[in-house]
Amino acid sequence: SSTDVLKEQISLSYKWNNPILSFGATDLQLNDITKRDKEPMQAHFVGITQNIPIGDKLEISKNIAVDDYEISKLQLEDKKLELKALVYEYAFKIKLIEEKLALFEEFKINTKKLESLLQNLYKYNKASQEQIINTQIMYKELKLNSSKLTRALNSLKLKLENLTYE
């Protein structure tokens, strides 16, 4: 809308200003304004004034309006590119986090399998209790990191939704 306004400004920039019409009366007697003969300096008038551009003022104002319009078009394109870049950035981050979450889920499954294997080996004294506990801790850390990534993913989706809504 601002570019449309500036477009109109171009067409108005090389037109003369509207003339000013004025009416007036001086030295009015406030107690009886119909009596106009008591004061010798009483007067009434009708006037019209017109600004006349001298030199290249109209051409300069037109050039300024055209330049403002071009600047606004470039600013609009800049904002469009910023918006597009933000959408791509959010989409890339969302995809990256989704890939990380998929890898974390796979890693959690493998950690559960490892814990099960270590518990079976523990029965035959081939693994220690410390290894099993470390595997359980690793699983809990993976679960915690997975929930952090899920929150970050939801946050990015909300940001993208908000950005595209605006």
Side-chain angles (χ1 to χ4, degrees):
S1 64
S2 64
T3 55
D4 291 339
V5 168
L6 288 171
K7 201 177 214 180
E8 279 300 313
Q9 198 74 16
I10 292 171
S11 64
L12 295 175
S13 67
Y14 56 91
K15 293 184 179 178
W16 286 25
N17 291 338
N18 289 333
I20 300 171
L21 182 64
S22 56
F23 301 98
T26 61
D27 291 328
L28 293 175
Q29 300 296 320
L30 293 179
N31 53 2
D32 189 9
I33 60 171
T34 59
K35 298 216 179 204
R36 301 285 297 153
D37 58 352
K38 290 186 176 183
E39 181 71 36
M41 296 299 290
Q42 286 181 333
H44 40 279
F45 60 89
V46 175
I48 186 164
T49 58
Q50 172 69 53
N51 287 337
I52 300 172
I54 52 176
D56 290 336
K57 284 187 179 181
L58 290 179
E59 189 64 34
I60 290 171
S61 66
K62 181 181 178 185
N63 290 341
I64 289 172
V66 169
D67 289 345
D68 286 346
Y69 175 69
E70 291 299 320
I71 288 170
S72 73
K73 281 188 357 185
L74 292 174
Q75 287 174 336
L76 179 64
E77 286 301 315
D78 184 46
K79 292 295 180 188
K80 284 181 185 177
L81 289 174
E82 280 182 29
L83 180 64
K84 190 175 180 181
L86 273 176
V87 168
Y88 283 154
E89 178 185 354
Y90 288 155
F92 175 77
K93 285 181 179 179
I94 287 171
K95 188 64 178 170
L96 186 67
I97 289 175
E98 286 174 347
E99 292 291 324
K100 282 183 181 179
L101 278 173
L103 290 174
F104 271 52
E105 290 302 316
E106 187 178 327
F107 196 28
K108 284 191 322 190
I109 292 170
N110 289 342
T111 306
K112 274 297 186 188
K113 287 180 183 177
L114 179 63
E115 181 184 353
S116 173
L117 177 67
L118 287 173
Q119 285 176 350
N120 287 334
L121 288 174
Y122 180 72
K123 290 177 187 175
Y124 302 109
N125 290 328
K126 298 288 183 182
S128 67
Q129 192 73 18
E130 179 184 353
Q131 289 174 321
I132 296 172
I133 292 173
N134 285 340
T135 306
Q136 290 171 344
I137 290 172
M138 186 186 320
Y139 181 79
K140 296 288 183 184
E141 286 176 350
L142 285 171
K143 200 172 176 182
L144 180 66
N145 287 336
S146 179
S147 68
K148 284 180 183 178
L149 283 175
T150 303
R151 281 194 304 276
L153 178 66
N154 291 338
S155 173
L156 280 172
K157 284 182 178 179
L158 284 174
K159 285 180 181 179
L160 181 62
E161 181 181 325
N162 189 21
L163 182 67
T164 55
Y165 177 74
E166 288 177 8

